[in-house]
Amino acid sequence: MSLQTSEAIVLRSYNSGEQDKIVVLFTREKGIIKGIAKGARKFVNRFGGSLEPFSHIKIIYYEKETRELVVIKNCELIESFFEIQKDVKVIYYFSYFAELIEEFFPLKSVEELSYRLLISTFKATKGGGDLNLISRYFEMWLLKIYGILPDFSKCMKCRKKIIKKAWLSPKRDGVLCNSCSTLKRILIIPAIHSFIEWARKNPPTATENINFSFEELKLIGNIFQEIIIYHLEKVPKTLSLLK
Ligand SMILES: [Zn+2]
């Protein structure tokens, strides 16, 4: 058994036995791990509030190679996001981000970029950012990091540059121009190009000179979510709640 230290974000937790909690953590160093926090449900316990969902923490835990569950020995809070969770909308969105992380990445797969993405998403929300914009930012980057963000700039059949209208391909792996597409089900709006351009170059807090309408962000969200659903082969539970 070895003692490990890691920086982590609490994705979710659930009760175990009489007094314990199982915590699903996204760690910077080891990706997603599951840990048992013994006695975490006692009124007075050594974890305090640090194992609450979405806390940014530092943990010390025991790991045994043959076991899936690590044993959390201690943890300390680096940054909390308690205050903003008074708004139930924030809880829904954060749960959505956490569910996507858990669905996309297997246990113990190191995902430093996604880890940084999740932290910056939480921080941008805490800084008062628009959740509609922030969640599109998160979806785009998650698809890009995972390698399934399609090239929206060219028709995948005739290779012509997309100027105006285009449609998402049936396999969600590219776009088809108005002449090549037969299905014409999910519309690619032109605003997606400037959105991706902005998101690639900026942190989610850099919103000074951007101006996407609510409707545009909704349509961009539909496109990203179509790709997510196709890839996961199911609708994320939290996405149904958001809608
Ligand atoms: Zn075409």
Side-chain angles (χ1 to χ4, degrees):
M1 218 188 294
S2 63
L3 194 62
Q4 310 272 346
T5 307
S6 192
E7 193 189 307
I9 302 162
V10 180
L11 295 180
R12 65 185 170 97
S13 67
Y14 50 93
N15 294 341
S16 168
E18 292 280 296
Q19 298 180 323
D20 309 336
K21 256 187 189 178
I22 306 284
V23 192
V24 182
L25 297 155
F26 191 28
T27 69
R28 183 189 281 272
E29 293 83 355
K30 291 264 175 90
I32 300 169
I33 60 170
K34 285 185 184 178
I36 183 159
K38 290 188 175 154
R41 280 158 64 212
K42 285 186 195 165
F43 187 68
V44 177
N45 69 73
R46 67 202 141 113
F47 305 106
S50 55
L51 292 176
E52 292 304 312
F54 320 124
S55 295
H56 181 196
I57 59 175
K58 192 179 156 193
I59 54 160
I60 298 171
Y61 62 96
Y62 288 110
E63 185 177 36
K64 208 172 178 183
E65 283 302 317
T66 51
R67 294 246 174 97
E68 189 185 273
L69 276 185
V70 305
V71 178
I72 302 171
K73 185 173 175 281
N74 228 322
C75 57
E76 76 188 55
L77 196 63
I78 297 174
E79 183 172 10
S80 90
F81 297 92
F82 300 149
E83 276 300 305
I84 52 169
Q85 290 178 57
K86 282 178 185 158
D87 180 355
V88 70
K89 207 171 87 185
V90 171
I91 301 179
Y92 284 161
Y93 274 99
F94 279 21
S95 306
Y96 172 58
F97 305 144
E99 184 182 354
L100 289 187
I101 292 287
E102 223 185 315
E103 287 293 343
F104 269 84
F105 304 113
L107 284 176
K108 294 181 183 173
S109 144
V110 182
E111 300 294 341
E112 167 98 28
L113 272 179
S114 299
Y115 180 84
R116 278 166 34 207
L117 171 65
L118 190 61
I119 294 257
S120 63
T121 303
F122 286 180
K123 280 181 186 283
T125 309
K126 195 175 177 178
D130 169 18
L131 267 167
N132 207 12
L133 181 75
I134 291 170
S135 45
R136 296 302 83 82
Y137 185 96
F138 181 86
E139 289 162 343
M140 188 223 98
W141 269 105
L142 190 66
L143 294 174
K144 188 169 160 57
I145 292 168
Y146 202 78
I148 54 170
L149 183 73
D151 177 4
F152 292 101
S153 67
K154 280 194 195 100
C155 170
M156 65 189 299
K157 200 168 168 197
C158 69
R159 309 305 300 161
K160 276 187 193 144
K161 194 169 185 276
I162 299 293
I163 311 282
K164 282 182 185 159
K165 231 182 206 179
W167 304 88
L168 195 60
S169 70
K171 287 188 173 173
R172 281 49 159 199
D173 54 353
V175 298
L176 293 162
C177 71
N178 209 34
S179 332
C180 293
S181 176
T182 47
L183 217 58
K184 294 190 173 46
R185 199 170 73 79
I186 301 138
L187 177 69
I188 305 293
I189 58 163
I192 201 167
H193 305 297
S194 45
F195 179 85
I196 291 175
E197 173 93 357
W198 164 74
R200 285 171 87 120
K201 291 181 182 162
N202 293 285
T205 44
T207 53
E208 293 86 30
N209 296 315
I210 56 156
N211 197 11
F212 297 102
S213 69
F214 179 82
E215 194 55 30
E216 281 172 331
L217 289 172
K218 196 176 142 202
L219 291 169
I220 292 170
N222 287 348
I223 299 163
F224 292 155
Q225 288 151 20
E226 271 293 330
I227 303 165
I228 289 167
I229 292 165
Y230 186 82
H231 179 78
L232 297 178
E233 296 179 345
K234 64 178 176 187
V235 179
K237 277 180 260 158
T238 46
L239 183 61
S240 314
L241 283 176
L242 278 178
K243 296 203 159 181

mmCIF file of all heavy atoms in Angstrom, residues 166-186:
data_model
loop_
_atom_site.group_PDB
_atom_site.id
_atom_site.type_symbol
_atom_site.label_atom_id
_atom_site.label_comp_id
_atom_site.label_asym_id
_atom_site.label_seq_id
_atom_site.Cartn_x
_atom_site.Cartn_y
_atom_site.Cartn_z
ATOM 1 N N ALA A 166 -24.855 24.870 -43.447
ATOM 2 C CA ALA A 166 -24.292 23.521 -43.532
ATOM 3 C C ALA A 166 -25.045 22.641 -42.543
ATOM 4 O O ALA A 166 -25.807 23.132 -41.722
ATOM 5 C CB ALA A 166 -22.809 23.547 -43.216
ATOM 6 N N TRP A 167 -24.802 21.350 -42.652
ATOM 7 C CA TRP A 167 -25.534 20.393 -41.812
ATOM 8 C C TRP A 167 -24.554 19.404 -41.196
ATOM 9 O O TRP A 167 -23.560 19.021 -41.828
ATOM 10 C CB TRP A 167 -26.570 19.653 -42.664
ATOM 11 C CG TRP A 167 -27.498 20.609 -43.352
ATOM 12 C CD1 TRP A 167 -27.312 21.212 -44.569
ATOM 13 C CD2 TRP A 167 -28.725 21.127 -42.832
ATOM 14 N NE1 TRP A 167 -28.347 22.060 -44.853
ATOM 15 C CE2 TRP A 167 -29.238 22.035 -43.815
ATOM 16 C CE3 TRP A 167 -29.455 20.920 -41.660
ATOM 17 C CZ2 TRP A 167 -30.448 22.724 -43.636
ATOM 18 C CZ3 TRP A 167 -30.650 21.594 -41.480
ATOM 19 C CH2 TRP A 167 -31.133 22.480 -42.459
ATOM 20 N N LEU A 168 -24.854 18.982 -39.989
ATOM 21 C CA LEU A 168 -23.996 18.005 -39.318
ATOM 22 C C LEU A 168 -24.156 16.657 -40.031
ATOM 23 O O LEU A 168 -25.269 16.262 -40.383
ATOM 24 C CB LEU A 168 -24.414 17.887 -37.844
ATOM 25 C CG LEU A 168 -23.447 17.192 -36.886
ATOM 26 C CD1 LEU A 168 -22.102 17.920 -36.825
ATOM 27 C CD2 LEU A 168 -24.044 17.118 -35.480
ATOM 28 N N SER A 169 -23.025 15.954 -40.229
ATOM 29 C CA SER A 169 -23.075 14.675 -40.931
ATOM 30 C C SER A 169 -23.797 13.633 -40.065
ATOM 31 O O SER A 169 -23.831 13.755 -38.849
ATOM 32 C CB SER A 169 -21.656 14.196 -41.228
ATOM 33 O OG SER A 169 -21.037 13.825 -40.018
ATOM 34 N N PRO A 170 -24.359 12.598 -40.708
ATOM 35 C CA PRO A 170 -25.096 11.584 -39.922
ATOM 36 C C PRO A 170 -24.250 10.945 -38.820
ATOM 37 O O PRO A 170 -24.759 10.595 -37.776
ATOM 38 C CB PRO A 170 -25.506 10.559 -40.973
ATOM 39 C CG PRO A 170 -25.528 11.316 -42.260
ATOM 40 C CD PRO A 170 -24.448 12.348 -42.151
ATOM 41 N N LYS A 171 -22.929 10.804 -39.052
ATOM 42 C CA LYS A 171 -22.074 10.208 -38.022
ATOM 43 C C LYS A 171 -21.443 11.250 -37.098
ATOM 44 O O LYS A 171 -20.547 10.924 -36.303
ATOM 45 C CB LYS A 171 -20.982 9.355 -38.659
ATOM 46 C CG LYS A 171 -21.518 8.062 -39.222
ATOM 47 C CD LYS A 171 -20.393 7.171 -39.662
ATOM 48 C CE LYS A 171 -20.946 5.803 -40.066
ATOM 49 N NZ LYS A 171 -19.909 4.964 -40.659
ATOM 50 N N ARG A 172 -21.895 12.486 -37.214
ATOM 51 C CA ARG A 172 -21.444 13.586 -36.338
ATOM 52 C C ARG A 172 -19.932 13.795 -36.388
ATOM 53 O O ARG A 172 -19.327 14.235 -35.427
ATOM 54 C CB ARG A 172 -21.840 13.341 -34.883
ATOM 55 C CG ARG A 172 -23.264 13.627 -34.450
ATOM 56 C CD ARG A 172 -24.323 13.066 -35.298
ATOM 57 N NE ARG A 172 -25.601 12.957 -34.589
ATOM 58 C CZ ARG A 172 -26.585 12.171 -34.988
ATOM 59 N NH1 ARG A 172 -26.455 11.436 -36.067
ATOM 60 N NH2 ARG A 172 -27.713 12.129 -34.304
ATOM 61 N N ASP A 173 -19.309 13.411 -37.509
ATOM 62 C CA ASP A 173 -17.857 13.537 -37.587
ATOM 63 C C ASP A 173 -17.414 14.620 -38.567
ATOM 64 O O ASP A 173 -16.241 14.728 -38.901
ATOM 65 C CB ASP A 173 -17.224 12.191 -37.969
ATOM 66 C CG ASP A 173 -17.834 11.618 -39.249
ATOM 67 O OD1 ASP A 173 -18.836 12.195 -39.757
ATOM 68 O OD2 ASP A 173 -17.326 10.604 -39.735
ATOM 69 N N GLY A 174 -18.347 15.411 -39.044
ATOM 70 C CA GLY A 174 -18.011 16.472 -39.975
ATOM 71 C C GLY A 174 -19.276 17.196 -40.397
ATOM 72 O O GLY A 174 -20.360 16.939 -39.859
ATOM 73 N N VAL A 175 -19.115 18.102 -41.365
ATOM 74 C CA VAL A 175 -20.294 18.819 -41.854
ATOM 75 C C VAL A 175 -20.446 18.623 -43.363
ATOM 76 O O VAL A 175 -19.485 18.342 -44.066
ATOM 77 C CB VAL A 175 -20.240 20.332 -41.509
ATOM 78 C CG1 VAL A 175 -20.230 20.546 -40.022
ATOM 79 C CG2 VAL A 175 -19.029 21.006 -42.154
ATOM 80 N N LEU A 176 -21.659 18.775 -43.820
ATOM 81 C CA LEU A 176 -21.959 18.654 -45.247
ATOM 82 C C LEU A 176 -22.616 19.956 -45.705
ATOM 83 O O LEU A 176 -23.475 20.501 -44.999
ATOM 84 C CB LEU A 176 -22.906 17.477 -45.483
ATOM 85 C CG LEU A 176 -22.304 16.091 -45.187
ATOM 86 C CD1 LEU A 176 -23.404 15.046 -45.021
ATOM 87 C CD2 LEU A 176 -21.345 15.666 -46.295
ATOM 88 N N CYS A 177 -22.198 20.436 -46.880
ATOM 89 C CA CYS A 177 -22.770 21.680 -47.387
ATOM 90 C C CYS A 177 -24.225 21.441 -47.805
ATOM 91 O O CYS A 177 -24.678 20.300 -47.869
ATOM 92 C CB CYS A 177 -21.939 22.230 -48.541
ATOM 93 S SG CYS A 177 -22.079 21.252 -50.038
ATOM 94 N N ASN A 178 -24.892 22.515 -48.100
ATOM 95 C CA ASN A 178 -26.311 22.432 -48.428
ATOM 96 C C ASN A 178 -26.578 21.543 -49.650
ATOM 97 O O ASN A 178 -27.604 20.878 -49.715
ATOM 98 C CB ASN A 178 -26.859 23.843 -48.639
ATOM 99 C CG ASN A 178 -28.325 23.914 -48.284
ATOM 100 O OD1 ASN A 178 -28.786 23.223 -47.363
ATOM 101 N ND2 ASN A 178 -29.064 24.729 -49.000
ATOM 102 N N SER A 179 -25.620 21.527 -50.616
ATOM 103 C CA SER A 179 -25.834 20.687 -51.805
ATOM 104 C C SER A 179 -25.553 19.215 -51.531
ATOM 105 O O SER A 179 -26.198 18.340 -52.093
ATOM 106 C CB SER A 179 -24.930 21.127 -52.962
ATOM 107 O OG SER A 179 -24.629 22.471 -52.882
ATOM 108 N N CYS A 180 -24.557 18.923 -50.696
ATOM 109 C CA CYS A 180 -24.180 17.520 -50.446
ATOM 110 C C CYS A 180 -25.058 16.817 -49.410
ATOM 111 O O CYS A 180 -25.171 15.601 -49.422
ATOM 112 C CB CYS A 180 -22.730 17.440 -49.992
ATOM 113 S SG CYS A 180 -21.538 17.914 -51.252
ATOM 114 N N SER A 181 -25.636 17.583 -48.501
ATOM 115 C CA SER A 181 -26.408 16.948 -47.423
ATOM 116 C C SER A 181 -27.776 16.494 -47.915
ATOM 117 O O SER A 181 -28.478 17.224 -48.606
ATOM 118 C CB SER A 181 -26.593 17.933 -46.266
ATOM 119 O OG SER A 181 -27.396 17.354 -45.283
ATOM 120 N N THR A 182 -28.117 15.262 -47.564
ATOM 121 C CA THR A 182 -29.445 14.776 -47.940
ATOM 122 C C THR A 182 -30.382 14.787 -46.735
ATOM 123 O O THR A 182 -31.567 14.997 -46.857
ATOM 124 C CB THR A 182 -29.366 13.331 -48.493
ATOM 125 O OG1 THR A 182 -28.560 12.563 -47.601
ATOM 126 C CG2 THR A 182 -28.757 13.301 -49.875
ATOM 127 N N LEU A 183 -29.795 14.584 -45.567
ATOM 128 C CA LEU A 183 -30.603 14.469 -44.348
ATOM 129 C C LEU A 183 -31.100 15.824 -43.835
ATOM 130 O O LEU A 183 -32.247 15.959 -43.425
ATOM 131 C CB LEU A 183 -29.779 13.759 -43.260
ATOM 132 C CG LEU A 183 -30.547 12.814 -42.347
ATOM 133 C CD1 LEU A 183 -31.247 11.732 -43.142
ATOM 134 C CD2 LEU A 183 -29.597 12.188 -41.333
ATOM 135 N N LYS A 184 -30.210 16.800 -43.824
ATOM 136 C CA LYS A 184 -30.540 18.170 -43.358
ATOM 137 C C LYS A 184 -31.310 18.181 -42.035
ATOM 138 O O LYS A 184 -32.412 18.719 -41.955
ATOM 139 C CB LYS A 184 -31.332 18.912 -44.438
ATOM 140 C CG LYS A 184 -30.527 19.181 -45.717
ATOM 141 C CD LYS A 184 -31.293 20.115 -46.635
ATOM 142 C CE LYS A 184 -30.547 20.596 -47.844
ATOM 143 N NZ LYS A 184 -29.797 19.647 -48.642
ATOM 144 N N ARG A 185 -30.704 17.582 -41.023
ATOM 145 C CA ARG A 185 -31.410 17.524 -39.747
ATOM 146 C C ARG A 185 -30.861 18.527 -38.733
ATOM 147 O O ARG A 185 -31.607 19.282 -38.142
ATOM 148 C CB ARG A 185 -31.360 16.100 -39.172
ATOM 149 C CG ARG A 185 -32.424 15.851 -38.112
ATOM 150 C CD ARG A 185 -32.505 14.392 -37.735
ATOM 151 N NE ARG A 185 -31.380 13.941 -36.928
ATOM 152 C CZ ARG A 185 -31.267 14.174 -35.627
ATOM 153 N NH1 ARG A 185 -32.204 14.828 -34.982
ATOM 154 N NH2 ARG A 185 -30.215 13.727 -34.956
ATOM 155 N N ILE A 186 -29.518 18.519 -38.545
ATOM 156 C CA ILE A 186 -28.956 19.432 -37.547
ATOM 157 C C ILE A 186 -28.182 20.544 -38.250
ATOM 158 O O ILE A 186 -27.135 20.323 -38.833
ATOM 159 C CB ILE A 186 -28.067 18.678 -36.546
ATOM 160 C CG1 ILE A 186 -28.910 17.595 -35.861
ATOM 161 C CG2 ILE A 186 -27.470 19.605 -35.496
ATOM 162 C CD1 ILE A 186 -28.201 16.309 -35.695
#
